Amino acid sequence: IDTEDSALYLAEYPNMTAELHLDYFGRAPVRELMLICKNDTLKCNLIDQTVKFLKSGKLISFKSERDLYQKAELEFFINIINGKVPNTNTIDLAKRVLLLTNGEL
């Protein structure tokens, strides 16, 4: 794919600010999410499938089969094709996503 080597995105919402950092420079895969809240900071490690509350030290593990999410996603897609569940991904939503990725929204 043709992508930038690194990218930093900032999004302003009425009640929060979000930052997304992506890069291909790291030697080891890192898939982390930090949520900085009023009373604690949560560090989510998507590879280890854990959430750590930094203030309290509490650790939650969500260990599951590695490909479970992808299998569920494919099963849902097949159910859409077979008419068992509605397709919530409308043309309007697809257009909005394209406008967002082009910086037009």
Side-chain angles (χ1 to χ4, degrees), residues 29-94:
V30 175
R31 305 289 184 271
E32 293 180 342
L33 170 70
M34 289 191 74
L35 300 172
I36 302 169
C37 306
K38 185 180 264 188
N39 297 320
D40 206 339
T41 299
L42 289 70
K43 185 174 183 181
C44 310
N45 186 319
L46 303 178
I47 294 173
D48 292 343
Q49 300 175 339
T50 58
V51 176
K52 183 172 185 177
F53 294 77
L54 299 183
K55 185 176 179 183
S56 67
K58 180 180 177 181
L59 183 69
I60 300 173
S61 178
F62 295 94
K63 297 291 182 186
S64 66
E65 182 184 338
R66 177 169 160 69
D67 298 328
L68 189 61
Y69 180 80
Q70 288 82 3
K71 289 177 182 177
E73 188 173 36
L74 285 171
E75 184 177 315
F76 185 72
F77 177 71
I78 290 169
N79 285 335
I80 290 172
I81 292 173
N82 291 329
K84 294 180 180 177
V85 296
N87 183 356
T88 57
N89 295 306
T90 63
I91 296 295
D92 183 56
L93 179 61

